Amino acid sequence: MPIQSLYVHVPFCAQKCAYCAFFSEASSGELINRYTDALVREMELVADDLKPRTIFFGGGTPSILNLAQWEKILRAMERLNLLGAEEFTVECNPATVSLDKAKLFRAYGINRVSMGVQSLDEALLDRLGRIHSREMVFKSFDILRRAGFDNLNIDLMFAIPGQTMDIWRATLKEVITLGSEHLSSYEVIYEEDTPLYQQLQAKEFDVDEDLACEMYEALVEHATADGFHQYEIANFARSKPETRNSKPEIPASACKHNVNYWRGGSFYGLGPSATGYVRGVRTTNWSNTQLYCEQLEKGKRAIESREELQPLARAGETAAFGLRMVAGWPFEDFKRTTGHDLRKDWAQEMKQLTERGWGRIAPEGFQLTRQGLRFADSAAEMFLR
Ligand SMILES: C[S@@+](CC[C@H](N)C(=O)[O-])C[C@H]1O[C@@H](n2cnc3c(N)ncnc32)[C@H](O)[C@@H]1O
Ligand code: SF4
């Protein structure tokens, strides 16, 4: 059966944000054109094994590509029978949204936009090196609605140096009032080799763990009070989850592409630095746009590394990913996906987590509690083999 999920990495940004370690660079027009052609070539190489139900263009800043470049990519996808996905998301920076681009997106079946907002406080946006103002967020949101998008996500960040609880609450309130169908909110990670990390090393500010915890609590509290349903540590969907056997399912407006990823599903990853996971084999493309283009110009995939995990190790990773979701792992779903039984191979870990108050075992599955979700990374690590 062909693979049903496609991730495309667009490695360009207008300028690098102070905290960001994703592979992207300030763009030059010529290199973007060359990348566009290389990406089409890469799509041609995998198209026969791909019938996407979900597509996600991330980055970097996919919306930085101009109309002609987008048209080239989308036409190629049409020719290769890659359009028609149930969910087709493009990540956008509020400074690079236009009505023409939004209309072009709609015309080719892009039905979800994820907008990187991070904060609505001008001083913090500046501090983070964002290229957009708060006004641009409202304007772009409006443009996307006018173009007909009815499935929008907003990305926020909290525990930003200089962000007080009042500023955070104000941003949350304004963002929730905007009425997006989805909200993702991440605590700042100090990634090595970023300006923010260097400032931390130079002791220009302190990290306040307690405040970060309170901000996470405020996020969950405000979002759920205003009609969002949390379905993953950092992700909230507006639609109410259906209930099956008295347990909530994943909400309909959850990001289907990421749910497939957390549930250990296969996906192709195209573009520089992209990771793919196809039938148990993980591949990672070169994190070098020139090299990526050179390889594809020679007609070869631009894969830097390939890794095939042993079945038990693979199942352990899949368990760890799936526990990020509030619904946790239904035992039967896990068995179907991995061929392993959580009740057999991870009985000890589930017992320990339950005793610590971080986990909950039910006859049909295992999930982390609200407290456990706060420490999901440590909990998930216990499942790795
Ligand atoms: C790959 S970025 C792409 C979004 C888009 N380029 C933008 O920034 O407008 C996806 C999201 O990851 C989050 N993110 C990136 N770096 C982060 C970091 N160091 N700590 C926490 N969140 C981060 C941001 O919320 C960002 O919107
Ligand atoms: S956060 Fe988004 S816009 Fe900023 S550098 Fe990273 S990918 Fe680019």
Side-chain angles (χ1 to χ4, degrees):
M1 198 163 81
I3 301 302
Q4 296 186 12
S5 194
L6 169 65
Y7 174 76
V8 175
H9 192 79
V10 180
F12 304 106
C13 289
Q15 86 182 19
K16 207 64 203 163
C17 301
Y19 52 87
C20 180
F22 286 95
F23 177 68
S24 69
E25 56 196 334
S27 51
S28 85
E30 209 26 63
L31 188 60
I32 304 188
N33 278 334
R34 202 173 159 201
Y35 157 84
T36 306
D37 290 336
L39 176 64
V40 169
R41 188 78 195 94
E42 198 181 18
M43 285 177 172
E44 288 167 354
L45 295 178
V46 300
D48 280 349
D49 189 31
L50 197 53
K51 182 85 191 102
R53 190 178 75 90
T54 72
I55 303 175
F56 196 105
F57 273 68
T61 308
S63 54
I64 209 170
L65 269 53
N66 62 30
L67 281 177
Q69 288 154 344
W70 266 112
E71 225 168 339
K72 195 175 228 179
I73 294 170
L74 292 167
R75 280 216 185 117
M77 291 177 75
E78 189 171 43
R79 168 171 61 83
L80 295 167
N81 270 325
L82 297 176
L83 294 180
E86 200 178 310
E87 180 188 274
F88 187 164
T89 306
V90 173
E91 272 184 345
C92 290
N93 183 303
T96 50
V97 173
S98 71
L99 190 57
D100 286 348
K101 224 178 270 179
K103 283 183 175 162
L104 178 75
F105 286 177
R106 297 288 307 165
Y108 281 89
I110 294 169
N111 54 19
R112 186 172 183 271
V113 165
S114 173
M115 199 155 63
V117 170
Q118 323 310 352
S119 175
L120 285 174
D121 181 85
E122 292 289 4
L124 287 182
L125 287 174
D126 233 35
R127 176 99 170 71
L128 295 174
R130 300 289 297 173
I131 56 163
H132 61 86
S133 61
R134 46 178 276 124
E135 268 326 296
M136 282 184 202
V137 171
F138 300 127
K139 206 171 141 225
S140 296
F141 195 88
D142 189 47
I143 287 176
L144 293 167
R145 284 291 197 227
R146 270 195 282 142
F149 282 97
D150 59 3
N151 195 1
L152 297 176
N153 170 56
I154 286 182
D155 280 345
L156 291 179
M157 284 168 51
F158 63 92
I160 304 167
Q163 189 180 35
T164 61
M165 196 62 180
D166 283 348
I167 297 178
W168 175 228
R169 281 191 196 277
T171 289
L172 268 175
K173 205 163 161 238
E174 279 191 283
V175 162
I176 291 170
T177 307
L178 262 180
S180 65
E181 285 68 31
H182 195 281
L183 173 68
S184 302
S185 187
Y186 310 96
E187 178 175 343
V188 168
I189 301 169
Y190 293 93
E191 304 275 5
E192 266 183 65
D193 295 331
T194 60
L196 205 65
Y197 178 81
Q198 282 149 10
Q199 291 160 22
L200 178 66
Q201 295 295 91
K203 300 204 180 333
E204 286 177 29
F205 56 83
D206 285 325
V207 172
D208 186 339
E209 274 302 330
D210 292 339
L211 182 60
C213 277
E214 281 169 36
M215 286 183 171
Y216 183 70
E217 292 299 321
L219 161 71
V220 176
E221 178 198 313
H222 281 281
T224 46
D226 284 307
F228 276 108
H229 301 274
Q230 185 182 16
Y231 68 98
E232 197 262 356
I233 308 167
N235 284 281
F236 300 80
R238 186 72 77 172
S239 60
K240 195 169 185 305
E242 298 287 323
T243 306
R244 185 179 53 155
N245 299 334
S246 75
K247 284 192 62 152
E249 301 243 285
I250 295 159
S253 58
C255 176
K256 294 180 175 61
H257 182 84
N258 284 341
V259 169
N260 172 65
Y261 175 69
W262 293 318
R263 281 277 186 244
S266 283
F267 60 97
Y268 270 104
L270 310 184
S273 83
T275 291
Y277 181 67
V278 173
R279 303 182 185 95
V281 179
R282 179 171 304 126
T283 56
T284 305
N285 276 354
W286 290 101
S287 295
N288 177 328
T289 305
Q290 300 274 356
L291 187 56
Y292 168 84
C293 293
E294 278 166 25
Q295 294 290 101
L296 282 146
E297 283 155 8
K298 289 185 207 151
K300 290 195 281 199
R301 294 278 315 270
I303 295 173
E304 181 187 13
S305 64
R306 233 186 216 94
E307 183 190 17
E308 182 160 10
L309 292 176
Q310 291 308 308
L312 186 65
R314 203 197 307 167
E317 263 199 20
T318 306
F321 274 142
L323 287 180
R324 297 180 60 88
M325 292 204 287
V326 174
W329 264 116
F331 294 131
E332 289 310 317
D333 289 358
F334 185 79
K335 230 162 117 182
R336 205 175 326 115
T337 307
T338 66
H340 286 267
D341 194 338
L342 276 173
R343 288 163 292 194
K344 190 167 147 272
D345 292 306
W346 286 274
Q348 201 52 36
E349 285 77 8
M350 290 194 295
K351 186 163 168 269
Q352 265 180 35
L353 287 170
T354 305
E355 282 166 4
R356 213 185 283 174
W358 288 12
R360 193 180 300 121
I361 305 182
E364 64 279 5
F366 178 73
Q367 64 192 131
L368 294 182
T369 57
R370 185 156 165 189
Q371 198 197 354
L373 280 172
R374 183 76 186 98
F375 303 102
D377 287 343
S378 318
E381 215 169 287
M382 294 165 62
F383 287 75
L384 298 180
R385 289 286 185 272

